[in-house]
Amino acid sequence: MTTSPLLIRPSTIADLGAITEIYGWNVTHGTGTFELETPDEAEMGRRRDDVLSKGLPWLVAERGSEVLGYAYANHFRPRRAYRFCLEDSIYLADAARGQGIGRLLLAELVSRCEAAGARQMLAVIGDSANAGSIGVHRALGFEHSGVLRSAGWKFGRWLDVVLMQKALGLGDTAEPVEGT
């Protein structure tokens, strides 16, 4: 059996159906997102456009012609002082879990954000029992920075939020360069 290579690439409009389907599965079955209603494809397109309009990456992992997951970075908060601090988001198709795809997506996302001049990346991980996401972030150098206890209510139970952080490039050891 020949397996097609995995390709990590920038997303396109043509990927929105798969992105919406992957996120929808995570909304209805997972605790990695605290969203309760699955957004439609138009809303996912608006979210993607917002990220791309800021010059930030939205990537997909594809094998053959099948999108298996996606990752993007956005500003942690909208205030200008946060412009060098990004939050990552990674979602995988259920069948793609446990294959190292999340790690590859995150590694490429970190690399692209670092090249764009970002200095900090935060992981705001839904559910303190989300060992897969916590492990992927830890493996790529993110450090635990806190827990927001019982911050969300989903599937009839309280869920924590785990905060992890990674310095990018020079981190906080030097002033950032505007416009990089």
Side-chain angles (χ1 to χ4, degrees):
M1 178 174 115
T2 304
T3 302
S4 301
L6 185 73
L7 174 65
I8 308 274
R9 62 168 175 77
S11 66
T12 68
I13 291 171
D15 299 318
L16 282 174
I19 287 168
T20 302
E21 186 176 322
I22 289 167
Y23 188 63
W25 187 94
N26 282 276
V27 168
T28 59
H29 296 95
T31 54
T33 175
F34 286 7
E35 197 151 4
L36 301 175
E37 305 285 328
T38 301
D40 63 15
E41 191 170 321
E43 174 57 22
M44 293 303 289
R46 281 189 287 280
R47 293 177 188 189
R48 180 181 165 272
D49 289 347
D50 175 62
V51 167
L52 296 177
S53 74
K54 297 171 186 168
L56 298 170
W58 189 306
L59 308 173
V60 296
E62 175 184 75
R63 181 171 283 131
S65 60
E66 183 180 7
V67 173
L68 301 173
Y70 68 94
Y72 65 91
N74 205 347
H75 295 126
F76 172 61
R77 302 287 297 244
R79 290 187 177 92
R80 186 158 159 71
Y82 290 108
R83 68 193 175 280
F84 298 103
C85 182
L86 303 177
E87 177 182 343
D88 73 76
S89 293
I90 307 165
Y91 294 98
L92 299 176
D94 187 41
R97 296 181 193 289
Q99 300 174 33
I101 296 169
R103 183 177 178 157
L104 292 170
L105 273 167
L106 182 56
E108 183 64 22
L109 186 70
V110 166
S111 175
R112 288 176 186 238
C113 291
E114 193 170 57
R119 292 298 187 87
Q120 300 290 328
M121 184 167 279
L122 303 178
V124 181
I125 300 169
D127 193 359
S128 57
N130 191 341
S133 185
I134 293 167
V136 164
H137 284 88
R138 186 178 299 118
L140 289 173
F142 284 72
E143 296 178 354
H144 180 84
S145 57
V147 174
L148 304 174
R149 303 246 178 250
S150 302
W153 176 261
K154 188 173 182 180
F155 301 140
R157 67 185 195 272
W158 289 107
L159 299 169
D160 298 338
V161 172
V162 175
L163 303 173
M164 298 181 80
Q165 184 171 354
K166 176 182 177 71
L168 303 182
L170 296 173
D172 62 1
T173 64
E175 288 187 28
V177 178
E178 295 288 344
T180 58

